[in-house]
Amino acid sequence: MKSDISKLALIGNLQTAALVSRSGTISWQCWPDFDSEACFAGLLGTDANGEWSLSVKKAKRIKQTYQPGTLIVESLQTQIAGGAVLLTDFMTVRRRHHSSLVRIVRGVAGKAQVQTTLSPRFDYGAGQPRIARKGKNKWEVVSGPHRLTLRSNVELTPGKGNLHADWSVNKDETYYFTLQYSNSFADEEPPALSARTAQQQTARFWRKWIARSEYHGPYREQVERSLITLKALTYAPSGGFVAAPTTSIPEKIGGVRNWDYRFCWLRDTTFSLQGLVECGFQEEARAWLGWLSRAIEGNPGQLKIMYGITGKREHSEWVADWLCGYAGSKPVRIGNKASSQVQLDTYGEVMDSLYLARRNDLYPHEDQSGAAMEIPLLKHLEEIWNEPDEGLWEFRSGPRQFTQSKVMAWVAFDRGVRMADEFGVKGPVERWRKLRKCIHAEICTKGFHKKMNSFTQTYGQPHMDASLLLLPIVGFLPIDDARIKGTVSAVEKHLMRDGLLLRYDTKKVKDGLPPGEGAFLACNFWLIDVYILQGRLKEAREHFARLLSIRNEVGLLSEEYDARHGLVGNFPQAFSHIGLINAALSLRDGTSVRLKRLNNLQR
């Protein structure tokens, strides 16, 4: 398979990101921001849709790693004849209007033949740019509003919309490429960048950042790699987190479950908040809280499940039909029409995160009792909680009465009551108490299937859903309740495939799409919390080890995993990496970290 996310590493600058293969090809990058049009879209098409290759000819051995504690990736490539080079790739943490991608080639043994071809194609691989020499060692690439300035000490030859070079690299020789983005009609040309200095500054930034981590315990290396990945998916100007930097990496090879994830899901970012706070990154948590307040304050009836990186609300979905798709999986979707769905669990996740924010003193002190967000959200939820919705898995077959959605509505009112009791939030707390009790009773009556001895995905239907594992974790029922025990057993029985959980069985549940997808990794991290709460510590550690084993060479995870094809779904996936962080915290503490925070337990 030419496209293979298991062989990709992430580099980024806290505003956008690129994916570079172990063989040295950058096949995906949007510029200047995560949600901008891609200028390298070969990952979703062919090399004609834009990529930047840089590799040793006839390499017999390649090893890709991150420099420890950084987002700088190195690829050691050894030639059949014995020559070897070290390729270093990174993006500088963006300053002002200029965004830079740096590639450094250093000879480490003998003599190696190296080749590179730079083929930018903005407009998601559809637009061929104008390329012009602007002086010695400098080239300019222009495509509409976009300008790329390339500087290199390698002599390049222009072709049809590309630049190419083929040269020898001897031991201790160093060659560099700096590719800088700017606006073609407004910005000044970016000043020259020292590749060596940029590498030192970038390494210093990332190591200084990860040194703030307060995580101590087993799996430290894996947790820190996930924390760095999560930070890399942050849009620094606003504080939002993208779910992933890619679009349309399929959940099943050859299938149509291909979605654009370059947006900020309220659900995903609230899970992220929990791990960041526990690991000591309060600054990022406060920035996210600021992003959230700007995005959702106003009319709670207009709450979206996702927003753009700046808080933008509109994400119309369309198809880039000139792209053949990752491993031939079409369509390639830009935008996501699920943004118009109603998903009741979002209210619960937001309220849970706001409660966590108060518990960790993340709110401005003058707003501790103001409840600018909470009161309007709960008031609106009072009116709609009993209506059907599309659920957290974003069914495209119409709304249903999802059990997990109702549970999270219960969570919303429960956290409202707790905020009133603990922080003096002023609101109709007695009404919230009554609603909390009413919703709980309804779920236990309508969401529990007596014949299966389990809660089920929707009221009155026998289908299982891995999101039901969250019921004890959010405090809905205790872990030793017989109904929870039955639910965990039913989830394992009906959704476990090849040692990993599906989120639900797409062959049995009609969700508006053709069946078939991989195991959903976030659900598998939730299972670890449940195992720990049940005292099944050996199984929890074994399942965590299984999940760690499916990370790619540089420690990254996608959304899902398929036993036949490996990592599938958008990549890297914030939801999966925050699941890893939270599961490691739970294993360290011997209890669910989310439930521990809720109960205010001490280590």
Side-chain angles (χ1 to χ4, degrees), residues 26-28 39-43 46-52 119-121 125:
I26 295 174
S27 57
W28 180 258
C39 64
F40 299 127
L43 184 66
T46 69
D47 53 8
N49 298 120
E51 64 177 30
W52 186 0
S119 303
R121 295 292 185 270

Side-chain angles (χ1 to χ4, degrees), residues 7 26 59 105 144 155 170 178 183 196 238 242 288 297 317 332 345 357 385 479 506 574:
K7 297 178 181 178
I26 295 174
V105 179
E155 183 60 36
N170 296 306
T178 63
N183 187 291
R196 182 179 179 182
S238 70
V242 292
W288 172 86
E297 284 185 351
E317 183 175 298
V332 172
D345 78 290
W385 73 266
I479 192 66
T506 59

Side-chain angles (χ1 to χ4, degrees), residues 401-417:
Q401 296 285 9
F402 287 96
T403 301
Q404 191 266 350
S405 294
K406 303 305 184 192
V407 169
M408 295 311 296
W410 174 87
V411 166
F413 290 109
D414 177 75
R415 303 315 188 251
V417 170

Side-chain angles (χ1 to χ4, degrees), residues 7 42 125 213 284 309 322 397 473 493 500 557 601:
K7 297 178 181 178
S213 172
E284 284 72 15
I309 52 179
W322 58 88
S397 55
I473 295 172
K493 176 181 177 180
L500 293 173
L557 289 169
L601 298 177

Side-chain angles (χ1 to χ4, degrees), residues 373-393:
M373 287 182 277
E374 293 94 323
I375 301 297
L377 285 174
L378 290 179
K379 183 178 180 181
H380 183 66
L381 187 58
E382 286 184 48
E383 301 171 359
I384 66 169
W385 73 266
N386 59 349
E387 296 177 5
D389 71 323
E390 278 85 2
L392 82 164
W393 305 132

Side-chain angles (χ1 to χ4, degrees), residues 348-367:
E349 295 295 356
V350 170
M351 286 296 296
D352 195 31
S353 66
L354 294 177
Y355 175 64
L356 174 67
R358 289 182 183 277
R359 290 280 294 272
N360 287 274
D361 200 28
L362 300 179
Y363 265 71
H365 288 289
E366 64 272 13
D367 190 41

Side-chain angles (χ1 to χ4, degrees), residues 25-29 38-42 46-54 103 116-122 124-129 131 141 148 150 156-157 159-164 179:
T25 296
I26 295 174
S27 57
W28 180 258
Q29 182 173 13
C39 64
F40 299 127
T46 69
D47 53 8
N49 298 120
E51 64 177 30
W52 186 0
S53 63
L54 177 55
R103 315 196 75 179
T116 186
T117 301
L118 170 64
S119 303
R121 295 292 185 270
F122 280 95
Y124 297 100
Q128 181 173 310
I131 298 179
V141 179
L148 299 176
L150 176 69
L156 296 157
T157 301
K160 189 175 182 180
N162 62 44
L163 291 166
H164 178 77
L179 187 65

